[in-house]
Amino acid sequence: MTNKVNVGLIGAGRIGRVHAENLIYRIPEAKLLAVSDVFLEAAEKCAADFQIPTAVKDHRVILENKAIEAVIICSSTDTHAQFIIEAAAAGKHIFCEKPIALDLPKIDEALAAVEQNRVKLQIGFNRRFDPNFKHVHELVAAGKIGAPHLVRITSRDPAPPPVDYIKVSGGIFLDMTIHDFDMARYLIGSEVGEIYAAGAVLVDPAIGTAGDLDTAVITLRYTSGAIGTIDNSRRAVYGYDQRVEVFGSEGGIVVANNTPHKAVYSNTEGSHSALPLYFFLERYTEAYVAELKAFIEAIRGDTPPPVTGLDGRIPVVMGLAAWTSYRENRPVKLSEISA
Amino acid sequence: MTNKVNVGLIGAGRIGRVHAENLIYRIPEAKLLAVSDVFLEAAEKCAADFQIPTAVKDHRVILENKAIEAVIICSSTDTHAQFIIEAAAAGKHIFCEKPIALDLPKIDEALAAVEQNRVKLQIGFNRRFDPNFKHVHELVAAGKIGAPHLVRITSRDPAPPPVDYIKVSGGIFLDMTIHDFDMARYLIGSEVGEIYAAGAVLVDPAIGTAGDLDTAVITLRYTSGAIGTIDNSRRAVYGYDQRVEVFGSEGGIVVANNTPHKAVYSNTEGSHSALPLYFFLERYTEAYVAELKAFIEAIRGDTPPPVTGLDGRIPVVMGLAAWTSYRENRPVKLSEISA
Amino acid sequence: MTNKVNVGLIGAGRIGRVHAENLIYRIPEAKLLAVSDVFLEAAEKCAADFQIPTAVKDHRVILENKAIEAVIICSSTDTHAQFIIEAAAAGKHIFCEKPIALDLPKIDEALAAVEQNRVKLQIGFNRRFDPNFKHVHELVAAGKIGAPHLVRITSRDPAPPPVDYIKVSGGIFLDMTIHDFDMARYLIGSEVGEIYAAGAVLVDPAIGTAGDLDTAVITLRYTSGAIGTIDNSRRAVYGYDQRVEVFGSEGGIVVANNTPHKAVYSNTEGSHSALPLYFFLERYTEAYVAELKAFIEAIRGDTPPPVTGLDGRIPVVMGLAAWTSYRENRPVKLSEISA
Amino acid sequence: MTNKVNVGLIGAGRIGRVHAENLIYRIPEAKLLAVSDVFLEAAEKCAADFQIPTAVKDHRVILENKAIEAVIICSSTDTHAQFIIEAAAAGKHIFCEKPIALDLPKIDEALAAVEQNRVKLQIGFNRRFDPNFKHVHELVAAGKIGAPHLVRITSRDPAPPPVDYIKVSGGIFLDMTIHDFDMARYLIGSEVGEIYAAGAVLVDPAIGTAGDLDTAVITLRYTSGAIGTIDNSRRAVYGYDQRVEVFGSEGGIVVANNTPHKAVYSNTEGSHSALPLYFFLERYTEAYVAELKAFIEAIRGDTPPPVTGLDGRIPVVMGLAAWTSYRENRPVKLSEISA
């Protein structure tokens, strides 16, 4: 093990600040030396709040800092691939939020740069580090359900993002379902070969006007023969709904939502219990810490990161296949998208 | 096995009608030949509703009927002991609702008559036949929790009975807790040696004026060393609350309430599920059938009934001990009540 | 209301015997006068067990019996349509097990006969009478979840039927999923316009050899815009898995499985609770009684039966669409199957 | 609000280290300047692990440090009262682990010193800060259950402490039940007037030989008329069992245990779910942070701490009453112990 890993943060928006706070307060093995943001004020506020020595506007200042071994890329999606390429060239290990990019050539260019410069790249699929889903993954990997036959992923947000965000997001399949595509692979350790996507605009017509969907059901055909479904909604009025189920030849596993408390209140009307934790920051608090700890450990121990660049690429292929499937209303093989 | 058992019903009130309906529709091994009630109209209505050939005012007509092998005693509590004595003298097998009587000499006289005439007597502790409690009993008997250390019985009614009923009921410990005293013995197969009862009037002052309590917590010291608690309320606004818990050296078992459905509805306010089944007729529907089936089987197979006269006597001792404990605010040994 | 309804039973196999027992013991408003079965012994045993006055080989004896007002058709699927036609011609009201037939012209002929003879026809979609699903239906109908967006039906059997049965069953979509197709319509009161079926043979290769599937996921596009999924397996090792979920603009409802008891046993290994009720006879005990009660009530009150001939026809259209979709691996509109 | 609060830690054992870690990583509003322990190595290791500038053997070095505003007393129970007195004299605000002392004169002397020196004193009843119990407290305080009638506290440890610890612990009622006595007051905001304690040695005879109990059921008579029960065991093989239930005129609230995950695994044997979080460090992780945050906030905002010296005294009175009750096998009024 090396000593503390010096880290730079690129992007001081909501998720960047989550990582900054975790690095400072929860991961003693890392030291956050600098933060950059195209909005300098954001970088400065982040630095002040989390005692980061340096705040700059230009991420290249971070990349040029010889003391920094690793960067956390939390800037806007359209910059991810470019920043990966630059960071790799600068010899920095890279933790990058999903997606790497919305088109495959850019992704492939970024992955090539990572490989060429022999740096580590971990993609921010935080849900793999959720104790519930991790437990399911482990039970399946241990053979507890035998051969997986059915996989079911429920993934519903409490409220849609602003339409302006939706317009540049890549659409529901690349912005929201992409996490579920990763989960689909993670849960049973098998690849998906074909996708059929049904979608609708049921939550807000403005989302449809922006060219996107707000409700979707995706059928996955795994190469193993198993069949999966993902269902998405941009608005579950009862809160963030994140459940999975796997079913196999020897058993099944169902995961319920986490809730802020376990109290059940009964009166003449019925028995009342808590709604799910509100949204991703509440639900995945520990997962965000765990993914970054894993990244830091991979650097310190010089081991491969647990979520690779390929793990970042495949869900984008799946998202593109879902869009094609939805638009042409037919099942689409992933090999059609990326041979 | 003999053929169908011919049965007479004494008492056509609410619980008598439950038994009549079960005998007719659910227990083909029995044939209900006659019903009596001091209110002849009640007997006649019961006979009409359930196709019983004979309805009479005087229970002695039933006892004199040579074709009848067994009687179900559902008359008012103050008649139980006397009717047991008469039925035993007439050579009938006897199923009798709890309690046998509110004082021990009467009970002992009734049990002596049963023994002398070599008839079978089963007491109506229907909860022993509830699938939940039966399952707990069996797990404990199978040693699944090791040595029992703690027993907890929750027993709360949805609403108190009329005060006129309460006045002649023997009070909460002999009318309501008596079922829980039986359950306490049934769950772990050990006897109680000492009781401490704390009581209060919190539901309705009129119950206190009538000399009774509506809320109670009873501590039980088992001769095995285990400790039990029973809590009672005459009014749980959310419905009939019937749960048990046993805890031992190797594990524990908790039983939740049965509900009319398993749907959970979530909206912006919370997650809402069903209240318990409303009251004893809904909750113990199957238990009432099962206890009577067991009685009929005991007759047909000439085996001992599963709830004996002694099982009917001991909870009365416990109820009397609880009253003494409450009145003198001290733990009372059962041996003080009945040596 | 008329008096007791005189009923004849056609078919004394497993489900026929369930209806016979319910008619005798649970539905006092009906009187079962005769039973027929092509295996006379089966009819005779049924008659003996349930005190039915007449047992015959030929169902026409029942149809010719003037005293009989209604028939319960529980014979093999290939006879349903023909027997409906004959019963309608004989002026009998008809309760018929699903499916009416495996091809639409036969169904249409049967429905025409029913209409022409102005008799009542109720199809045996018993799950509509399950208290859980009925409660969901009522909450949705009452607007509690707002506009339905997503429907999810989990339907997994504990074990596959014999391959000989599978060969003549019409295949998974017409034999097993047909109940779920009905449920899909019942839950939200909207019709399905398009179906996409993914299927696999994962449980038993012999099922594949017989030309059938044992695992399936079906995507439903409702005409309302909602999206549904059904997942089926012929073997859930943990028992009969029958759950539904509906999700809408204002809330969601999830239904868990019924279990034989509510005890949770905890030891050093974990917390252990009961598996679902084993199979349809255990799970839908009450639903079988309720559907037949509803049929008898419809006759007595001269009201339309709650599950109509059209309700029997549409799921067959859906099953045929599912087979086409599976075979051609594309979404199929119901209008392609039946214009 | 003042700026950061400078803190000294007295006692670097297990619980002292928990507070040190929380102060460093989770409570930016505090700064931990020094740690003392009679075992200097323990203080030095704690300082090294959590970057505390100063480690000493003598707590007086901390009390003499002018820069330090507040102390966290985590030393052995027999030193608590004396250290409170010294810290108060030094003008430090005080957070002290429970119990203040095992005898009342010492406690009263300590509370007098606190009052005289006008410093703040908070007692470490961390469970009040558990989100579950806090939620119950708030629902009750908001009148959601109407008038409280019954309170039930389940409190069972996964394994007993070493017998050497038990010998100096004050026994089960002052070491373990003391938390539950505090919870009993906290949940419904009413005082207890009388206690009846039943106890047994069922877990380990060595505990009995040491003069202590390992199993207990305590009945509480609240001055409001409500009745409470606490049950304790030193060994629940399935893990740390921490549940509460309150029941009142308008409803009831039940709290289940927290578990490490929400996955339910079903196979042919049954449905299996997670055991409770193992012990207090796992279960009350967030509560430990929250209580210390509350203490720091009380100092910064100059408001009363949420758990006062009196809140520390009353549970000791209750523990002494429980011992008297157990030894004399009779209900004991708290006024007998402390007028």
Side-chain angles (χ1 to χ4, degrees):
Chain A
M1 289 267 164
T2 66
N3 270 330
K4 287 208 178 199
V5 176
N6 290 322
V7 175
L9 174 65
I10 298 174
R14 186 167 55 174
I15 194 67
R17 289 177 59 91
V18 167
H19 290 313
E21 186 167 1
N22 287 337
L23 284 166
I24 293 298
Y25 291 119
R26 306 289 298 276
I27 307 177
E29 298 80 8
K31 201 166 162 52
L32 185 46
L33 292 189
V35 54
S36 76
D37 199 292
V38 289
F39 298 100
L40 182 58
E41 293 85 353
E44 285 172 344
K45 176 155 181 19
C46 184
D49 289 347
F50 304 114
Q51 305 149 42
I52 310 169
T54 308
V56 296
K57 187 179 164 68
D58 191 340
H59 69 284
R60 283 171 297 190
V61 177
I62 287 177
L63 298 183
E64 286 160 9
N65 185 335
K66 289 269 179 337
I68 288 176
E69 291 164 79
V71 293
I72 316 290
I73 301 178
C74 303
S75 49
S76 63
T77 293
D78 60 311
T79 65
H80 288 179
Q82 180 58 31
F83 288 4
I84 287 174
I85 291 166
E86 293 178 27
K92 310 300 190 200
H93 299 301
I94 303 157
F95 179 97
C96 183
E97 281 301 318
K98 64 89 214 168
I100 302 174
L102 297 178
D103 63 298
L104 296 177
K106 257 197 205 167
I107 292 175
D108 290 339
E109 201 184 340
L111 298 193
V114 166
E115 182 152 81
Q116 196 179 325
N117 291 284
R118 298 172 181 273
V119 295
K120 294 174 196 301
L121 170 63
Q122 181 175 330
I123 305 301
F125 284 126
N126 57 298
R127 295 181 196 174
R128 291 190 179 208
F129 299 86
D130 175 79
N132 295 303
F133 303 142
K134 198 153 173 270
H135 188 69
V136 177
H137 168 85
E138 285 163 3
L139 287 174
V140 173
K144 291 287 187 181
I145 64 157
H149 291 181
L150 295 167
V151 173
R152 174 190 286 169
I153 297 169
T154 304
S155 177
R156 303 169 188 162
D157 285 355
V163 169
D164 279 352
Y165 171 84
I166 279 178
K167 283 177 181 162
V168 299
S169 70
I172 192 168
F173 298 129
L174 285 161
D175 178 56
M176 182 174 170
T177 324
I178 194 168
H179 273 292
D180 309 310
F181 289 140
D182 180 62
M183 185 57 61
R185 299 176 63 236
Y186 173 67
L187 286 176
I188 68 167
S190 171
E191 295 294 341
V192 169
E194 190 178 289
I195 282 177
Y196 173 69
V201 179
L202 300 172
V203 169
D204 184 354
I207 293 173
T209 306
D212 202 359
L213 307 165
D214 54 35
T215 303
V217 170
I218 301 106
T219 304
L220 311 172
R221 305 299 311 256
Y222 285 89
T223 55
S224 70
I227 310 175
T229 51
I230 296 166
D231 83 54
N232 292 141
S233 169
R234 282 291 196 181
R235 191 175 63 209
V237 295
Y238 52 78
Y240 197 40
D241 195 350
Q242 298 275 296
R243 290 170 288 150
V244 306
E245 176 170 348
V246 291
F247 170 84
S249 57
E250 306 300 331
I253 313 168
V254 177
V255 170
N257 282 307
N258 286 350
T259 54
H261 64 77
K262 302 290 290 284
V264 178
Y265 165 59
S266 297
N267 59 7
T268 54
E269 302 300 311
S271 280
H272 314 284
S273 51
L275 290 174
L277 291 167
Y278 181 66
F279 208 172
F280 61 95
L281 293 181
E282 292 82 9
R283 165 65 187 262
Y284 293 118
T285 306
E286 293 307 311
Y288 282 116
V289 177
E291 69 170 356
L292 223 49
K293 261 186 199 284
F295 175 62
I296 298 297
E297 284 318 297
I299 294 170
R300 295 176 82 212
D302 195 16
T303 54
V307 193
T308 67
L310 190 60
D311 291 328
R313 184 186 193 273
I314 293 174
V316 175
V317 174
M318 295 170 80
L320 295 169
W323 273 119
T324 302
S325 171
Y326 170 72
R327 288 186 182 121
E328 304 181 4
N329 196 25
R330 65 174 180 90
V332 169
K333 288 197 172 3
L334 265 56
S335 58
E336 290 186 47
I337 304 300
S338 167
Chain B
M1 289 263 164
T2 66
N3 270 331
K4 287 208 179 201
V5 176
N6 289 324
V7 175
L9 174 66
I10 298 174
R14 186 165 56 172
I15 194 68
R17 289 177 59 90
V18 168
H19 290 314
E21 186 166 4
N22 288 338
L23 284 167
I24 294 297
Y25 291 120
R26 307 290 296 277
I27 306 177
E29 298 81 9
K31 201 163 161 57
L32 185 46
L33 291 190
V35 55
S36 76
D37 199 291
V38 288
F39 298 102
L40 182 58
E41 292 84 353
E44 285 172 343
K45 177 156 180 20
C46 185
D49 289 347
F50 303 116
Q51 306 149 42
I52 309 170
T54 306
V56 296
K57 188 179 162 67
D58 190 341
H59 69 283
R60 284 171 295 191
V61 178
I62 288 177
L63 297 183
E64 287 158 9
N65 185 334
K66 291 267 180 339
I68 288 176
E69 291 164 78
V71 293
I72 316 290
I73 301 177
C74 303
S75 48
S76 64
T77 293
D78 59 313
T79 64
H80 287 180
Q82 180 58 31
F83 288 4
I84 288 174
I85 291 165
E86 293 178 25
K92 311 299 188 200
H93 298 302
I94 303 157
F95 179 98
C96 183
E97 281 301 318
K98 62 91 209 166
I100 301 175
L102 298 178
D103 63 297
L104 296 177
K106 258 198 205 166
I107 294 175
D108 290 339
E109 201 186 339
L111 298 193
V114 166
E115 185 153 78
Q116 196 181 322
N117 291 284
R118 297 171 183 273
V119 295
K120 294 176 196 298
L121 170 63
Q122 181 175 331
I123 305 302
F125 283 126
N126 57 299
R127 295 184 196 171
R128 290 192 180 208
F129 298 86
D130 174 78
N132 295 303
F133 303 143
K134 197 152 175 270
H135 188 70
V136 177
H137 168 85
E138 284 163 2
L139 287 174
V140 173
K144 290 289 188 181
I145 64 157
H149 290 181
L150 295 168
V151 173
R152 174 190 287 169
I153 297 169
T154 305
S155 178
R156 302 169 188 161
D157 286 354
V163 169
D164 279 350
Y165 171 85
I166 279 179
K167 283 177 183 162
V168 298
S169 70
I172 193 167
F173 298 130
L174 285 162
D175 179 54
M176 182 174 171
T177 324
I178 193 167
H179 274 292
D180 309 310
F181 288 140
D182 181 62
M183 184 58 59
R185 298 176 64 236
Y186 173 67
L187 285 175
I188 69 166
S190 171
E191 295 294 340
V192 169
E194 188 177 293
I195 281 179
Y196 173 69
V201 179
L202 300 172
V203 169
D204 183 354
I207 293 173
T209 307
D212 201 1
L213 308 165
D214 54 36
T215 304
V217 170
I218 301 107
T219 303
L220 311 172
R221 304 299 312 256
Y222 286 89
T223 55
S224 70
I227 310 175
T229 51
I230 296 167
D231 83 54
N232 292 142
S233 170
R234 283 289 195 184
R235 191 174 64 207
V237 295
Y238 52 77
Y240 197 41
D241 195 349
Q242 298 276 297
R243 290 171 287 150
V244 307
E245 176 169 349
V246 290
F247 169 84
S249 58
E250 306 300 332
I253 313 169
V254 177
V255 169
N257 282 306
N258 285 351
T259 55
H261 64 77
K262 302 290 291 284
V264 178
Y265 165 58
S266 298
N267 59 5
T268 54
E269 303 300 312
S271 281
H272 315 284
S273 49
L275 290 174
L277 291 168
Y278 180 67
F279 208 171
F280 60 95
L281 294 181
E282 293 81 9
R283 166 62 187 264
Y284 293 118
T285 305
E286 293 306 313
Y288 282 116
V289 178
E291 68 170 356
L292 224 48
K293 262 186 198 285
F295 175 62
I296 298 298
E297 285 317 298
I299 294 170
R300 295 178 80 213
D302 194 16
T303 54
V307 192
T308 67
L310 190 60
D311 290 329
R313 184 187 194 274
I314 293 174
V316 175
V317 174
M318 295 170 79
L320 295 170
W323 273 120
T324 303
S325 172
Y326 170 71
R327 289 188 182 120
E328 304 181 4
N329 195 26
R330 64 172 180 92
V332 170
K333 288 201 175 354
L334 265 57
S335 57
E336 292 185 44
I337 305 298
S338 166
Chain C
M1 290 267 164
T2 67
N3 270 331
K4 288 208 180 200
V5 176
N6 289 323
V7 174
L9 174 65
I10 299 174
R14 185 166 55 174
I15 194 68
R17 289 177 60 90
V18 168
H19 289 313
E21 186 167 2
N22 288 337
L23 284 166
I24 294 298
Y25 291 119
R26 306 292 296 277
I27 307 177
E29 299 80 8
K31 199 163 163 56
L32 186 46
L33 291 189
V35 55
S36 76
D37 199 291
V38 290
F39 299 100
L40 182 58
E41 293 84 354
E44 285 171 343
K45 178 158 180 19
C46 185
D49 288 348
F50 303 115
Q51 306 148 42
I52 309 170
T54 307
V56 296
K57 188 180 162 68
D58 191 341
H59 70 284
R60 282 171 298 190
V61 177
I62 287 177
L63 298 182
E64 287 159 8
N65 184 336
K66 291 269 179 337
I68 289 177
E69 293 163 78
V71 294
I72 316 290
I73 301 177
C74 303
S75 48
S76 65
T77 294
D78 60 312
T79 65
H80 287 179
Q82 180 57 33
F83 288 4
I84 288 174
I85 291 165
E86 293 178 27
K92 311 298 189 200
H93 298 302
I94 303 157
F95 179 97
C96 183
E97 281 301 318
K98 63 89 211 166
I100 301 175
L102 297 178
D103 62 297
L104 295 178
K106 258 198 205 166
I107 293 174
D108 290 340
E109 202 185 338
L111 298 193
V114 166
E115 183 153 78
Q116 197 181 322
N117 291 285
R118 297 172 183 272
V119 294
K120 293 176 197 298
L121 170 63
Q122 180 175 332
I123 305 303
F125 283 126
N126 56 300
R127 295 183 197 172
R128 290 191 180 209
F129 298 87
D130 174 78
N132 295 304
F133 303 143
K134 197 152 175 271
H135 188 70
V136 177
H137 168 85
E138 285 163 3
L139 287 175
V140 173
K144 290 289 188 181
I145 65 156
H149 290 180
L150 295 167
V151 173
R152 174 190 287 169
I153 296 168
T154 304
S155 177
R156 302 169 188 162
D157 285 354
V163 169
D164 280 350
Y165 171 85
I166 279 178
K167 283 177 184 162
V168 299
S169 69
I172 193 168
F173 298 130
L174 285 161
D175 178 55
M176 182 175 171
T177 324
I178 194 167
H179 274 293
D180 309 311
F181 288 140
D182 181 62
M183 185 56 61
R185 299 176 63 236
Y186 172 68
L187 285 175
I188 68 167
S190 169
E191 296 294 342
V192 169
E194 190 177 290
I195 281 178
Y196 173 70
V201 179
L202 300 172
V203 169
D204 184 353
I207 293 173
T209 307
D212 201 1
L213 308 166
D214 55 35
T215 305
V217 171
I218 301 107
T219 304
L220 311 172
R221 305 300 311 256
Y222 286 89
T223 54
S224 70
I227 309 174
T229 52
I230 295 166
D231 83 54
N232 291 141
S233 170
R234 281 290 195 182
R235 192 175 64 208
V237 295
Y238 52 78
Y240 197 40
D241 195 349
Q242 299 274 298
R243 290 170 287 150
V244 306
E245 176 170 348
V246 291
F247 169 85
S249 58
E250 306 300 332
I253 313 169
V254 177
V255 170
N257 282 306
N258 286 351
T259 55
H261 63 77
K262 303 290 291 283
V264 178
Y265 165 59
S266 297
N267 60 5
T268 55
E269 301 300 311
S271 280
H272 315 285
S273 50
L275 289 175
L277 291 167
Y278 180 66
F279 209 171
F280 59 96
L281 293 182
E282 292 81 10
R283 166 63 187 264
Y284 294 118
T285 306
E286 293 305 314
Y288 282 116
V289 177
E291 68 171 357
L292 224 49
K293 262 187 199 282
F295 176 61
I296 298 298
E297 285 317 297
I299 294 170
R300 294 177 82 213
D302 194 16
T303 54
V307 192
T308 68
L310 190 61
D311 290 329
R313 184 187 194 273
I314 293 174
V316 175
V317 174
M318 295 170 80
L320 296 169
W323 273 119
T324 303
S325 171
Y326 170 72
R327 290 187 182 120
E328 303 180 5
N329 196 25
R330 64 172 180 93
V332 170
K333 289 199 173 2
L334 265 57
S335 57
E336 290 187 46
I337 305 300
S338 168
Chain D
M1 290 267 164
T2 66
N3 270 331
K4 288 208 180 199
V5 175
N6 289 323
V7 174
L9 174 65
I10 299 174
R14 186 166 56 174
I15 195 66
R17 288 177 60 91
V18 168
H19 290 314
E21 187 166 2
N22 287 337
L23 284 166
I24 293 298
Y25 291 120
R26 307 290 297 277
I27 307 177
E29 298 80 8
K31 200 164 164 54
L32 185 46
L33 291 189
V35 55
S36 75
D37 199 291
V38 290
F39 299 101
L40 182 58
E41 294 85 352
E44 285 172 343
K45 178 155 180 19
C46 184
D49 289 348
F50 304 115
Q51 305 148 43
I52 310 169
T54 307
V56 296
K57 188 178 163 68
D58 190 341
H59 69 283
R60 284 170 298 190
V61 177
I62 287 177
L63 297 182
E64 287 160 8
N65 185 334
K66 291 269 179 340
I68 288 176
E69 292 164 77
V71 293
I72 317 290
I73 301 178
C74 303
S75 48
S76 64
T77 292
D78 59 312
T79 65
H80 287 179
Q82 180 59 30
F83 288 4
I84 287 174
I85 291 165
E86 294 179 26
K92 310 299 187 199
H93 298 301
I94 303 157
F95 178 97
C96 183
E97 280 301 318
K98 63 90 211 166
I100 300 174
L102 297 179
D103 62 298
L104 296 177
K106 257 198 204 166
I107 293 175
D108 291 340
E109 201 185 339
L111 298 193
V114 166
E115 183 152 80
Q116 195 179 325
N117 290 285
R118 297 172 181 273
V119 294
K120 293 175 197 299
L121 170 65
Q122 181 175 329
I123 305 302
F125 283 126
N126 55 299
R127 296 182 196 172
R128 291 191 179 207
F129 299 86
D130 175 78
N132 295 303
F133 303 142
K134 199 154 174 269
H135 188 69
V136 177
H137 168 85
E138 285 163 1
L139 287 175
V140 173
K144 289 289 188 180
I145 63 157
H149 290 181
L150 296 168
V151 173
R152 175 190 286 169
I153 296 168
T154 304
S155 177
R156 303 169 188 161
D157 285 355
V163 169
D164 280 351
Y165 170 84
I166 279 179
K167 284 176 182 161
V168 299
S169 69
I172 193 168
F173 298 131
L174 284 161
D175 179 54
M176 183 175 170
T177 324
I178 192 168
H179 274 293
D180 309 310
F181 289 139
D182 181 60
M183 185 56 61
R185 299 176 64 235
Y186 173 67
L187 285 176
I188 68 166
S190 170
E191 295 295 341
V192 169
E194 189 177 290
I195 281 178
Y196 173 69
V201 179
L202 300 171
V203 169
D204 185 353
I207 293 172
T209 307
D212 201 359
L213 308 165
D214 54 35
T215 304
V217 170
I218 301 106
T219 304
L220 311 172
R221 304 299 313 254
Y222 285 90
T223 54
S224 71
I227 310 175
T229 51
I230 295 167
D231 83 55
N232 292 141
S233 169
R234 281 290 195 182
R235 190 174 66 207
V237 295
Y238 52 78
Y240 197 39
D241 196 348
Q242 297 275 298
R243 291 170 286 151
V244 306
E245 176 170 347
V246 290
F247 169 84
S249 57
E250 306 300 330
I253 313 168
V254 177
V255 169
N257 281 308
N258 285 350
T259 55
H261 64 77
K262 302 291 290 283
V264 178
Y265 165 58
S266 297
N267 59 6
T268 54
E269 301 301 310
S271 280
H272 315 284
S273 51
L275 289 174
L277 291 167
Y278 181 66
F279 209 172
F280 61 94
L281 293 181
E282 293 81 8
R283 165 64 187 262
Y284 294 118
T285 306
E286 293 306 313
Y288 282 115
V289 177
E291 68 171 356
L292 224 49
K293 263 186 198 283
F295 175 62
I296 299 297
E297 285 317 297
I299 295 171
R300 294 177 83 212
D302 195 14
T303 54
V307 193
T308 68
L310 189 61
D311 290 329
R313 184 186 194 274
I314 293 174
V316 176
V317 174
M318 295 170 79
L320 295 170
W323 273 119
T324 302
S325 171
Y326 169 72
R327 290 189 182 120
E328 305 181 2
N329 196 27
R330 64 172 180 92
V332 170
K333 289 199 172 1
L334 265 58
S335 57
E336 292 186 45
I337 306 301
S338 167

